[in-house]
Amino acid sequence: EHLAFDYSLDYAYNNLNSSLATDTRPYRNTILQSFTAKYSISRFTAVARLLHSVYLNNEKDGKGSKDMRRLSPSFSFSYKLLENQDLFVRASYKSIFRAPTFTESYYYLYGSRDLKPELTNQFNVGITWRQSISHRMDFAATLDAYINNVKDKIVAVPYNMFVWTHINVGKVLVQGIDASLLASYHFDSQQTLSLSGNYTYNKCENRTTKTSEYYRNQLSYMPVHSGSASLSYENPWVNFSVHGTGMSMRWANNEHYDGCDIPGYLEAGLSMYKTIDIGGKLTLRGDILNIFNKQYNIIFMYPMPGRSFTLSATYSF
């Protein structure tokens, strides 16, 4: 009644063949096994898991990346604070072993066979609150704080103007907060007004060598502040949604050279859509992207498009 167990096994095979002279036809066998135990009683739930990861790398015409093996434990619990309210506190610890993806290891110029696996210890505490304020209004919110200690973090950096590559950063400390909000108001069974938003504070610092001038630098392309929000109205006529997303400034490299800062931005858009039942479901949709025609970059020196329009029709049966 209170205790449950699970054993799962996944197997994957990857390979790469290309016409490039540098191709050595690499391949990988991946075996993932997990054993999970769950204990639940009254308002308390705890879950413990042990993951065994095995990555066997080789090449038909050369020597592949090193094989990788790791045991990764994790533990989490949640507790419902009030009997008649969906108010939960949560905490978790997770040891994560992330092998470089096949693309990160082998893709032409972009990949690196010498990449080490990324090892992370994650600590998280959070709270979740879901509430029906009335028969018309629903509300849900989450708040999480986390600390991640990362060894050999895998990051992508530009090798030159046109080619990116992957490197390991020895030690990284990530400290952050995630917050989300969703509120819905039901005028009737066919009309709903919904407001949603999320915000992330993410301090992602290089902590490899204390004597380095780059110590405590924010990692490249990692914004400290980011978030999004949307307001949507669903009705029997034409649904619409106003949405925006943005982030604070970022650096184009881990060294924070002068002139390599990427300004923050806020981009907004408008969507309108209608689904018609004609034997199947026909969905007509129009979008205005970057409605205020703001100039901004996600990748350094590669400006994103200004205001643009899209129209689409989808029929499902």
Side-chain angles (χ1 to χ4, degrees):
E1 180 182 356
H2 303 294
L3 197 59
F5 297 96
D6 174 83
Y7 169 77
S8 298
L9 181 145
D10 284 80
Y11 168 78
Y13 173 78
N14 300 86
N15 72 331
L16 174 65
N17 296 313
S18 76
S19 59
L20 295 171
T22 55
D23 178 35
T24 53
R25 297 193 293 172
Y27 61 92
R28 169 183 287 178
N29 292 279
T30 302
I31 302 169
L32 302 175
Q33 300 178 85
S34 71
F35 180 74
T36 306
K38 178 181 178 180
Y39 178 75
S40 180
I41 185 171
S42 184
R43 292 179 283 171
F44 177 79
T45 300
V47 177
R49 176 177 290 114
L50 185 64
L51 173 66
H52 184 222
S53 307
V54 178
Y55 297 86
L56 305 175
N57 300 295
N58 213 330
E59 297 178 2
K60 293 184 178 179
D61 299 324
K63 184 178 181 181
S65 300
K66 291 182 179 179
D67 294 340
M68 301 170 226
R69 294 175 174 83
R70 179 78 176 184
L71 279 171
S72 305
S74 63
F75 176 80
S76 65
F77 79 85
S78 67
Y79 181 72
K80 188 175 181 181
L81 290 175
L82 304 174
E83 184 70 41
N84 57 350
Q85 298 240 6
D86 285 338
L87 180 62
F88 298 87
V89 291
R90 299 173 279 102
S92 65
Y93 163 76
K94 181 184 288 186
S95 174
I96 297 178
F97 169 81
R98 188 176 89 75
T101 66
F102 207 69
T103 298
E104 291 168 342
S105 293
Y106 297 112
Y107 199 81
Y108 181 59
L109 295 179
Y110 184 78
S112 172
R113 287 169 170 79
D114 298 325
L115 280 176
K116 300 176 183 177
E118 185 177 295
L119 305 177
T120 305
N121 287 310
Q122 288 188 343
F123 303 88
N124 185 95
V125 293
I127 187 168
T128 299
W129 181 29
R130 295 188 295 266
Q131 182 68 35
S132 293
I133 298 175
S134 68
H135 71 284
R136 291 185 181 273
M137 189 167 184
D138 300 320
F139 174 86
T142 65
L143 180 64
D144 286 86
Y146 56 87
I147 295 176
N148 300 341
N149 288 300
V150 189
K151 180 182 178 183
D152 295 321
K153 183 173 178 64
I154 300 170
V155 295
V157 295
Y159 181 74
N160 57 39
M161 179 69 75
F162 306 103
V163 178
W164 285 55
T165 189
H166 277 92
I167 63 171
N168 288 111
V169 178
K171 292 181 181 179
V172 175
L173 178 64
V174 183
Q175 303 172 83
I177 296 172
D178 284 335
S180 70
L181 170 70
L182 174 62
S184 300
Y185 185 83
H186 308 281
F187 296 98
D188 53 40
S189 61
Q190 293 184 303
Q191 298 185 70
T192 300
L193 185 66
S194 299
L195 173 67
S196 65
N198 63 75
Y199 165 76
T200 296
Y201 170 84
N202 187 52
K203 197 71 173 174
C204 189
E205 298 178 337
N206 186 342
R207 294 292 186 94
T208 304
T209 306
K210 288 186 177 181
T211 56
S212 170
E213 59 181 307
Y214 312 125
Y215 185 71
R216 302 197 73 165
N217 276 8
Q218 182 83 354
L219 293 193
S220 60
Y221 289 98
M222 296 286 185
V224 176
H225 306 279
S226 61
S228 64
S230 69
L231 178 67
S232 61
Y233 175 48
E234 295 185 347
N235 57 75
W237 310 287
V238 177
N239 305 313
F240 76 86
S241 172
V242 180
H243 48 84
T245 183
M247 61 180 64
S248 61
M249 67 84 62
R250 291 140 291 140
W251 292 96
N253 51 59
N254 294 327
E255 293 76 25
H256 295 191
Y257 295 136
D258 290 341
C260 289
D261 56 310
I262 307 172
Y265 69 90
L266 177 63
E267 187 266 343
L270 173 66
S271 302
M272 302 180 69
Y273 50 98
K274 169 73 174 179
T275 299
I276 306 170
D277 195 344
I278 51 173
K281 289 190 176 181
L282 174 65
T283 301
L284 304 175
R285 182 183 180 95
D287 289 272
I288 305 177
L289 308 175
N290 195 0
I291 195 169
F292 297 114
N293 202 30
K294 295 288 186 179
Q295 184 177 357
Y296 68 97
N297 293 4
I298 294 179
I299 303 300
F300 187 56
M301 298 182 68
Y302 286 83
M304 297 296 291
R307 185 185 300 113
S308 59
F309 306 85
T310 64
L311 296 172
S312 66
T314 304
Y315 183 69
S316 59
F317 54 91

